[in-house]
Amino acid sequence: MEKVKEKVAVNADIKANSSQGMLNTSDAVHASPMSHYVTLLFAAVCGMSVANIYFAQPILDNLSSAFGIDYSTIGILITITQICYAVGLLLLVPLGDLLNQRRLIIGQMLLSIIALVIVGTASSSMALFAGMGLVGLLAVVTQTLVAFAATMAVPAERGRVVGMVTSGIVIGILLARTISGILTDIAGWRSVYLVSAALMLLMVCALFRVLPNVERGVQSLSYPQLLRSVFILFAQERILRIRAILALLIFTAFSILWTSLVLPLSAPPLSLSHTAIGAFGLVGVAGALAATRAGKLADRGYGQRTTGVALILLLISWLFISYTEQSLFALVIGIVLLDLAVQAVHVTNQSMIFALRTEARSRLTAGYMVFYSIGSATGSIASTHIYASYGWDGVCLLGGSVSALALLFWAMTRRYTTTALQ
């Protein structure tokens, strides 16, 4: 009897917290269609904000030389950024249910500009690491922007708007490497962060003109209660836990490739320029965009099948990637397969998770994306350590092992997930 009462109390708490965390009903009623310009602006801002996390990946060798940091240690920089991003997901994203989102978004972006300037002018490794930590913490503004876009859009166009804004995030992640490589070759690595700071300031000015000043309808929900509801949701929803672990594994594999790829490409016998290395991000965009159909397949009930096929492709991709030092064409094929697989699983994960609790989607997103960041951080530090000790073959073996583990985990949980979704 006590267990029953406890479960009822927890469910009531979640329900109360979720309902309190939503906008007033009138907000949805009075929502007006978002113009194409505003939607593209949201996508651009999201892409730029998330790109700040990934600018460092193709220039790790430059940062290593500039600050005297060993190859086996420089991956910690990416790890710190991703860990801080995970902290921001947990501590900052839920604030969108409590605070004025316009002020929250603009405030976070202004602080991001300061963080980018700190990185771009860093004179010591301590300043560099601190600045990158702040960059990661504040980059979660992308998730707040996605939620606000869903609020601003009328119900009939909400899916289109959110889809376009989310595509900006994917393109930002992948093009970050290309942009970083080009700017580094032209004006040095510091220009990457200083140029981004200037562009972010322009985006702040644009958002200041278009974001509506929507006051939240929440008065009684406290910040600790809001955070507690994230953990309660995670404890109650088994599909969320399963899909979060899959996210951790696929983004570990994703980060293993993209964090360490610069090392063999910049070293002999390839010795590619940073512009050429960054161009491989364009290849990744093709793979990621090819995965946009995954969401439609999930809506038709093929989410589990899509996940299985994508994870098989993820495992196969490492076979091609292992031939990087012998054939760049093989690397291109491997990148397309890897990014196609990762994005397909990611889209499918979100489709399944958002169907769990429509009234708590932002908190479901926060809980899920924390595992994404943990995976990215793990892959970053592990890949550089493995490369320093075992070379590119060791990195590919690590990536293939993580991908095989993801496929095994999916197979083990397939029956429960399929039953739960029916």
Side-chain angles (χ1 to χ4, degrees):
M1 181 64 71
E2 291 298 324
K3 290 184 178 180
V4 173
K5 290 181 179 179
E6 182 180 354
K7 186 174 182 180
V8 171
V10 169
N11 287 331
D13 183 45
I14 262 287
K15 195 170 184 180
N17 287 348
S18 299
S19 62
Q20 287 173 334
M22 299 292 287
L23 281 172
N24 286 333
T25 306
S26 59
D27 293 324
V29 173
H30 296 296
S32 56
M34 286 180 66
S35 68
H36 191 60
Y37 161 75
V38 174
T39 305
L40 288 177
L41 176 62
F42 269 57
V45 174
C46 284
M48 289 180 56
S49 297
V50 77
N52 292 328
I53 303 176
Y54 296 93
F55 281 144
Q57 289 188 353
I59 59 173
L60 284 178
D61 56 335
N62 288 73
L63 296 174
S64 176
S65 300
F67 293 94
I69 304 172
D70 190 75
Y71 268 0
S72 63
T73 307
I74 192 63
I76 294 177
L77 182 67
I78 307 298
T79 303
I80 289 175
T81 307
Q82 293 291 350
I83 289 175
C84 289
Y85 184 78
V87 171
L89 286 170
L90 185 61
L91 300 183
L92 298 182
V93 171
L95 286 175
D97 288 339
L98 285 177
L99 306 178
N100 180 298
Q101 285 179 303
R102 181 174 185 265
R103 297 172 191 166
L104 182 63
I105 291 168
I106 292 176
Q108 286 186 23
M109 291 188 65
L110 289 174
L111 291 175
S112 293
I113 293 170
I114 295 174
L116 290 167
V117 172
I118 291 174
V119 174
T121 58
S123 58
S124 67
S125 58
M126 183 175 294
L128 175 69
F129 279 58
M132 288 300 295
L134 287 174
V135 167
L137 180 71
L138 296 165
V140 297
V141 70
T142 56
Q143 304 302 325
T144 307
L145 277 162
V146 172
F148 201 20
T151 300
M152 291 178 62
V154 295
E157 66 170 13
R158 187 163 294 149
R160 178 187 65 82
V161 169
V162 173
M164 185 174 293
V165 174
T166 302
S167 69
I169 297 175
V170 177
I171 293 173
I173 291 173
L174 294 171
L175 290 187
R177 300 165 180 83
T178 305
I179 296 170
S180 179
I182 293 173
L183 288 177
T184 297
D185 283 343
I186 294 175
W189 71 267
R190 294 182 185 275
S191 67
V192 176
Y193 295 94
L194 297 178
V195 168
S196 180
L199 292 176
M200 289 281 284
L201 183 58
L202 292 177
M203 293 295 101
V204 168
C205 295
L207 286 176
F208 190 81
R209 295 172 59 89
V210 303
L211 289 181
N213 193 28
V214 180
E215 293 294 340
R216 312 306 289 171
V218 176
Q219 298 296 331
S220 59
L221 181 61
S222 68
Y223 181 58
Q225 287 175 326
L226 189 71
L227 296 185
R228 180 171 177 263
S229 69
V230 176
F231 292 100
I232 295 174
L233 282 168
F234 194 81
Q236 290 183 338
E237 300 294 345
R238 187 176 178 184
I239 289 182
L240 173 60
R241 297 195 299 272
I242 290 172
R243 290 287 151 170
I245 292 174
L246 277 176
L248 185 151
L249 293 171
I250 64 171
F251 282 106
T252 296
F254 182 86
S255 188
I256 286 171
L257 171 66
W258 287 110
T259 299
S260 59
L261 183 60
V262 63
L263 302 177
L265 293 183
S266 61
L270 296 175
S271 302
L272 300 181
S273 68
H274 286 94
T275 300
I277 294 172
F280 283 97
L282 296 173
V283 177
V285 170
L289 292 179
T292 54
R293 185 174 173 78
K296 296 180 180 179
L297 291 174
D299 291 338
R300 295 175 183 175
Y302 298 113
Q304 278 291 77
R305 187 177 302 176
T306 301
T307 302
V309 172
L311 290 175
I312 292 172
L313 292 178
L314 180 62
L315 182 58
I316 293 173
S317 71
W318 287 103
L319 176 62
F320 290 94
I321 294 169
S322 66
Y323 288 97
T324 293
E325 295 172 327
Q326 291 77 39
S327 171
L328 292 180
F329 180 70
L331 174 62
V332 169
I333 295 175
I335 288 175
V336 171
L337 290 177
L338 184 139
D339 282 3
L340 166 64
V342 169
Q343 186 61 16
V345 177
H346 183 45
V347 170
T348 304
N349 285 349
Q350 290 179 311
S351 298
M352 292 183 179
I353 290 169
F354 288 156
L356 296 176
R357 301 281 187 95
T358 57
E359 79 282 359
R361 283 174 176 166
S362 62
R363 276 159 278 181
L364 289 169
T365 300
Y368 169 79
M369 291 298 291
V370 164
F371 280 76
Y372 152 88
S373 290
I374 293 173
S376 295
T378 302
S380 295
I381 191 168
S383 62
T384 50
H385 274 289
I386 292 295
Y387 183 83
S389 301
Y390 303 103
W392 188 243
D393 288 339
V395 170
C396 293
L397 180 60
L398 175 64
S401 298
V402 172
S403 302
L405 181 60
L407 181 60
L408 177 62
F409 179 77
W410 168 80
M412 292 172 60
T413 58
R414 180 183 181 185
R415 179 175 298 178
Y416 172 81
T417 304
T418 301
T419 302
L421 292 174
Q422 289 176 347

